[in-house]
Amino acid sequence: MSHKIVFLDRETLDANVRIPNFPHEYTEYGQTSVDQIVERAKDADIIITNKVPLREATLKQLPKLKLIAVAATGTDVIDKAYTTANGITVSNIRNYAYNTLPEHVFALIFALRRNLVNYVDSVRHGRWGYVNQFCYFDYPIYDIAGSTLGIVGYGALGKETEKRAQALGMKVLVNDLFDIPGKVDLPTILRESDVITLNIPLTPQTRNLIGAKELGMMKKSASIINTARGGIIDEEALADALRKGVIAGAALDVLTVEPPKNGNVLLDPTIPNLIITPHVAWASKEAMQVLSDQLIDNIDAFVAGDPRNVVTA
């Protein structure tokens, strides 16, 4: 039996995709809009998607579909209630970003704690040429060593982040959606951390988990980092907190709508001490190849009758 595989958004994966280990017909598209999905995938029994959404209205028109192989960890683009009810398997990618994402988090931590962006920008705009001594102290600089890192989300990525933090001499507080040894409640994380990093999925329970109230509980010298999913932090509240100096800084690799074609409150360049990167924390060359290999492993396993990395509603 030959399987028809359609990759809806191949451009989202900058890696080699190996040939599956079974008879198949493979078609890939760089990008796919929602109104193109049915025409492109109507005969497919396997769909690969990274960020192309597959909701009930679309899935109802794909009667041959048996597997959705998500080329990412997050599966919020899939209507999992529908897939579960209709016997469509969903698989995702796990534990592939164990180096790239924590490294990105620490790049952001260093940039925030040492005010790198402000100093680089001020030099670029000529500030250094007008001072009367060899250096200037327009922006506060804080050490990493001896500071406290609050990790919200203590899965594989949270644990890898903790290892790097401890190597740098940071005190670590951890919180998770589940009960874990040494778990600290979120209010304690907010009050005591110098930097907070979010590593949790976006769910109805975590949407706007960090709002005006929570930002107000943080130290004025503290910063928050989100490399998980847009929507976990209330974006309006964050913009307001940064403008008012409620917290010292923030760095986000994710926004609620990506790409932000209609703008976003956080893209206002007048917001101080805010770093935005375009959802690339996961995207080292090495990590993307691990992801690609695991993606095909998931598909091979499903066809062999032993599905792996299965996600349910």
Side-chain angles (χ1 to χ4, degrees):
M1 175 183 176
S2 180
H3 294 266
K4 183 177 176 67
I5 306 169
V6 176
F7 196 157
L8 295 175
D9 50 353
R10 177 67 172 83
E11 287 182 3
T12 63
L13 183 57
D14 185 16
N16 294 321
V17 178
R18 76 170 190 269
I19 298 171
N21 191 29
F22 53 85
H24 66 278
E25 177 187 343
Y26 174 82
T27 306
E28 64 181 32
Y29 300 93
Q31 302 175 7
T32 299
S33 62
V34 172
D35 59 2
Q36 293 173 319
I37 296 171
V38 173
E39 178 59 32
R40 291 180 172 183
K42 61 186 177 183
D43 295 322
D45 55 329
I46 299 171
I47 288 178
I48 303 172
T49 181
N50 188 332
K51 295 295 181 285
V52 179
L54 293 167
R55 308 297 185 196
E56 179 176 355
T58 299
L59 293 169
K60 283 181 175 179
Q61 301 178 70
L62 302 173
K64 298 181 180 180
L65 184 60
K66 297 292 185 289
L67 171 68
I68 300 172
V70 181
T73 299
T75 58
D76 44 291
V77 296
I78 309 299
D79 187 334
K80 292 184 286 295
Y82 182 89
T83 57
T84 300
N86 289 274
I88 301 170
T89 300
V90 178
S91 66
N92 71 340
I93 308 299
R94 303 180 188 183
N95 302 332
Y96 76 97
Y98 42 80
N99 287 324
T100 183
L101 190 136
E103 288 180 9
H104 195 90
V105 167
F106 275 95
L108 298 174
I109 290 174
F110 274 96
L112 290 168
R113 293 290 285 172
R114 304 199 65 84
N115 251 306
L116 291 183
V117 173
N118 282 324
Y119 276 111
V120 168
D121 283 348
S122 67
V123 169
R124 185 175 291 128
H125 288 90
R127 167 75 170 128
W128 203 5
Y130 292 97
V131 300
N132 295 320
Q133 59 182 14
F134 70 96
C135 63
Y136 56 96
F137 312 112
D138 289 3
Y139 311 102
I141 297 171
Y142 298 100
D143 286 344
I144 303 295
S147 65
T148 298
L149 177 65
I151 300 175
V152 181
Y154 195 58
L157 295 176
K159 291 181 175 68
E160 289 294 329
T161 301
E162 179 186 40
K163 286 165 52 178
R164 289 159 175 79
Q166 291 173 335
L168 290 167
M170 301 182 82
K171 176 183 176 181
V172 177
L173 303 175
V174 299
N175 175 272
D176 196 74
L177 302 176
F178 304 98
D179 288 331
I180 56 171
K183 178 177 177 177
V184 176
D185 61 47
L186 184 59
T188 300
I189 295 270
L190 294 167
R191 288 193 304 266
E192 297 187 10
S193 299
D194 297 298
V195 182
I196 296 170
T197 179
L198 305 176
N199 299 283
I200 53 177
L202 178 65
T203 67
Q205 291 72 38
T206 64
R207 185 174 296 278
N208 291 333
L209 178 71
I210 306 297
K213 175 184 174 183
E214 290 74 24
L215 293 166
M217 296 171 66
M218 293 172 60
K219 300 178 183 179
K220 288 178 67 68
S221 59
S223 299
I224 191 165
I225 294 169
N226 184 12
T227 56
R229 281 289 185 268
I232 297 172
I233 300 177
D234 183 325
E235 293 173 339
E236 292 276 359
L238 179 60
D240 188 58
L242 290 169
R243 288 193 179 99
K244 293 178 178 177
V246 174
I247 62 172
L252 281 72
D253 187 52
V254 288
L255 296 175
T256 50
V257 178
E258 299 169 350
K261 291 184 180 294
N262 296 316
N264 183 289
V265 65
L266 294 175
L267 296 180
D268 182 344
T270 67
I271 298 174
N273 301 327
L274 173 63
I275 300 171
I276 303 285
T277 54
H279 206 142
V280 292
W282 65 282
S284 72
K285 296 291 289 186
E286 295 87 349
M288 281 194 283
Q289 192 58 54
V290 171
L291 184 158
S292 177
D293 292 341
Q294 189 180 142
L295 174 70
I296 301 304
D297 287 344
N298 288 347
I299 294 172
D300 281 341
F302 174 81
V303 172
D306 186 23
R308 44 173 277 176
N309 292 349
V310 174
V311 181
T312 56

